[in-house]
Amino acid sequence: MEYPVRERLIDHLERDTMVEGWNGGRILPWKPADLGKLSSPDYRFIDVSSYTLPDAIGIQSRRGCAFGCTYCTYGYLSGARIRERPVDQVIRDVTELMSLGVSRFQFVDSVFNAPEKYFEELLEALEQADCEISWSAWIDENITRKQLERMKIAGAVKVDFSPDAITDKGLKMLGKRMKAADLLPAVRSAREAGLQVGINFFNGNPSEGFWAFLVKIWFMLRVRLTLGWKSTFVNIGTIRVYAHSPLAEYLKRKARVDEECTFFEPVFYKKHGPGDWLYRLFQRIRRMRHD
Ligand code: SF4
């Protein structure tokens, strides 16, 4: 007999078993919510004054992602179509944070400049609201200098790019839409618009090893030295493979993990050899500098 969801969940927790295989790994059947009908978050529920790091408080203006990067689970978790909240509800969140004394937040959307029409509408509403609050957002490289300037006028202080790879082949393997040559002009435009910029890469991602790591280091030095050491940040991480991502399926197909692997225990996609040694050394030096 099928017993209620709550009891089933408690049962799994008590027996320390996975919900994999139960409803495709989901607690409840998934269907995309109409975001306009959901209640707005009540930020008074938490003590926002204790969140002091710059991007510690988030506002979500849309959910889901249509871009399907091979390591990402957003499409699985929130749907492979971007669903937007009504712009006035987003502005309500912004003004509520302001009234609570928050001076900076982050738009935690998958890609803030997509879809373009909604992006422009939201920028216009932020401009009109004329809020005295700063924000940051994740964007992709398909953005114009004029749009970046509008972001700045609307309160943006920082943008993050996530190309993750640095060669055309590496980008293709990660399912990215951009070309390697698109990155530098986008970073430069963002800096010229007066924004701080973060750029995120992986090390040892598919089709990229030792040489690509050196190119990433070179890119980091180049942008930091020419576009502002304290305003241009480069992060190089490692891919953690999550269940339900295309990369997880690929690893299973290639028998690089067991067929039964749930990815609940961390699995990282990395290559062994000189690229990995150099990467570890780089991370060690970085940690020493920041400790
Ligand atoms: S990595 Fe970003 S752009 Fe790619 S699918 Fe995930 S959320 Fe979308």
Side-chain angles (χ1 to χ4, degrees), residues 79-91:
R81 183 175 70 79
I82 298 176
R83 290 168 292 133
E84 303 110 14
R85 290 174 66 204
V87 161
D88 57 340
Q89 289 185 14
V90 180
I91 299 298

Side-chain angles (χ1 to χ4, degrees), residues 18 20 243 252 255 257-265 267:
M18 301 282 298
E20 261 338 291
K252 283 194 176 178
V257 293
D258 291 343
E259 186 53 38
E260 293 74 40
C261 178
T262 60
F263 298 92
F264 190 64
E265 293 299 326
V267 174

Side-chain angles (χ1 to χ4, degrees), residues 189-213:
S189 293
R191 287 293 301 123
E192 285 166 1
L195 297 161
Q196 291 188 326
V197 181
I199 306 132
N200 296 274
F201 292 118
F202 290 129
N203 176 51
N205 44 299
S207 284
E208 293 192 347
F210 179 66
W211 288 111
F213 179 67

Side-chain angles (χ1 to χ4, degrees), residues 178-197:
M178 61 174 287
K179 294 282 179 202
D182 299 337
L183 180 59
L184 186 57
V187 173
R188 196 174 278 137
S189 293
R191 287 293 301 123
E192 285 166 1
L195 297 161
Q196 291 188 326
V197 181

